[in-house]
Amino acid sequence: MDLNTITEVVRRPLDRPGADWREGDAWLAGGTWLFSVEQPSLRRLVDLTGLGWDPLVAGRTGLEIGATCTIRDLYSFAFPDDWTAGPLFAKSCEAFLSSFKVWNSATVGGNICLSLPAGPMITLTVALEARYELWAPDGSTRTVDALDFVTGDHQNVLGPGEILRRVGIPAHALRKSTAHRRFALTRLGRSTVFLVGTQTPGTSDLLLTVTAGTTRPVRLAFDALPDASTLRQSLDAIPAGLWFADPNGTPDHRRHLTKYFAEEIRRELSAGDVP
């Protein structure tokens, strides 16, 4: 879609692009959402792709993902053999409401900052205990837990001019066993629910992440695998107002699917039938 209110595109922003932020600006990375709807309040686009941020940096402490990393780069990344959570990255990329062609421009940071309930990069990074590095226009930096970033449907903790710079996923989370379940009305459709369970090697703990069915991510942590009744009670404790409603499902439908798939994840991890 043409954005006919735009009067300027900054192709070579400052290394700290927020320093020049002004009302009417928008960050431009892949632009897959930005150019899909009218943006009448915008006057200037600041193109982040020219900053040359490293898309993926793997190290002893874990994985750093640059905010401008494309979904294509993430999908094709070769993970170390001991990062047993690696297959979850491909599954999350495949959960996009888009064809593979869009992956060449869509970015990890864009999906996170859009903050839709069904954002698969939100699911992935919350499930793997990531932290986000945020840059403010005054030059300050802060780090927030991925779980705390999204606050509601299309809502997050970013202030005016603040930018997501990178995502850090710790090595211990990348070495966990994982199990996931996702439901969508069509193969390339938006997720109605997307759940991920992770388990530390050599333990019976469970970290269950619930997304898409709720307006913000929900994380349930258990020191040991719960029985079916305890898991169901924990899911019942999710506030009614957090369940999401849109054409892909009612709150009751999403709650039902979440309980069903959570029990499948519990059984899978209990049996050790994971990658």
Side-chain angles (χ1 to χ4, degrees):
M1 174 178 289
D2 292 334
L3 302 182
N4 56 20
T5 62
I6 300 300
T7 59
E8 182 182 0
V9 177
V10 180
R11 294 293 186 185
R12 297 182 180 276
L14 303 172
D15 289 341
R16 297 282 301 202
D20 191 34
W21 178 267
R22 60 185 185 229
E23 187 176 354
D25 283 358
W27 303 119
L28 172 62
T32 53
W33 176 81
L34 191 63
F35 290 107
S36 70
V37 295
E38 294 181 356
Q39 309 285 353
S41 65
L42 298 186
R43 300 294 178 270
R44 187 173 71 152
L45 302 180
V46 183
D47 189 352
L48 300 176
T49 59
L51 292 172
W53 292 341
D54 290 332
L56 296 152
V57 179
R60 181 178 56 83
T61 60
L63 178 67
E64 286 190 356
I65 306 173
T68 53
C69 174
T70 66
I71 305 307
R72 167 61 61 193
D73 285 342
L74 188 66
Y75 186 77
S76 61
F77 185 68
F79 289 89
D81 291 339
D82 64 332
W83 287 6
T84 50
L88 183 61
F89 286 76
K91 295 299 182 182
S92 298
C93 292
E94 292 165 357
F96 267 86
L97 176 59
S98 64
S99 72
F100 68 92
K101 292 179 286 187
V102 176
W103 295 1
N104 292 315
S105 57
T107 63
V108 173
N111 186 250
I112 291 172
C113 292
L114 187 55
S115 298
L116 296 176
M121 296 297 99
I122 299 168
T123 306
L124 171 69
T125 54
V126 172
L128 295 182
E129 306 165 54
R131 294 183 65 80
Y132 300 161
E133 181 181 314
L134 310 180
W135 286 3
D138 63 4
S140 63
T141 299
R142 64 178 173 133
T143 303
V144 300
D145 193 305
L147 179 66
D148 301 324
F149 181 80
V150 176
T151 58
D153 178 19
H154 215 329
Q155 300 173 7
N156 57 49
V157 302
L158 288 172
E162 199 168 22
I163 188 172
L164 171 61
R165 170 60 184 87
R166 61 170 58 88
V167 176
I169 301 178
H172 75 85
L174 291 162
R175 295 190 178 99
K176 286 189 173 185
S177 300
T178 67
H180 72 279
R181 295 293 188 277
R182 174 178 174 264
F183 177 86
L185 296 178
T186 61
R187 187 174 69 87
L188 294 177
R190 180 169 291 175
S191 300
T192 301
V193 296
F194 194 175
L195 285 75
V196 177
T198 65
Q199 188 175 71
T200 306
T203 77
S204 62
D205 67 358
L206 171 64
L207 199 66
L208 180 67
T209 298
V210 177
T211 63
T214 50
T215 57
R216 60 171 174 80
V218 174
R219 178 188 288 164
L220 303 178
F222 304 91
D223 292 333
L225 272 173
D227 57 27
S229 176
T230 300
L231 178 59
R232 187 168 55 251
Q233 290 172 10
S234 296
L235 293 169
D236 283 336
I238 296 175
L242 281 186
W243 293 102
F244 188 49
D246 73 354
N248 295 288
T250 64
D252 285 343
H253 178 54
R254 287 179 149 107
R255 185 185 298 110
H256 170 76
L257 289 174
T258 297
K259 290 181 181 180
Y260 180 83
F261 289 135
E263 174 58 16
E264 286 196 343
I265 288 173
R266 186 191 71 85
R267 291 183 180 180
E268 182 174 331
L269 290 173
S270 177
D273 184 20
V274 293

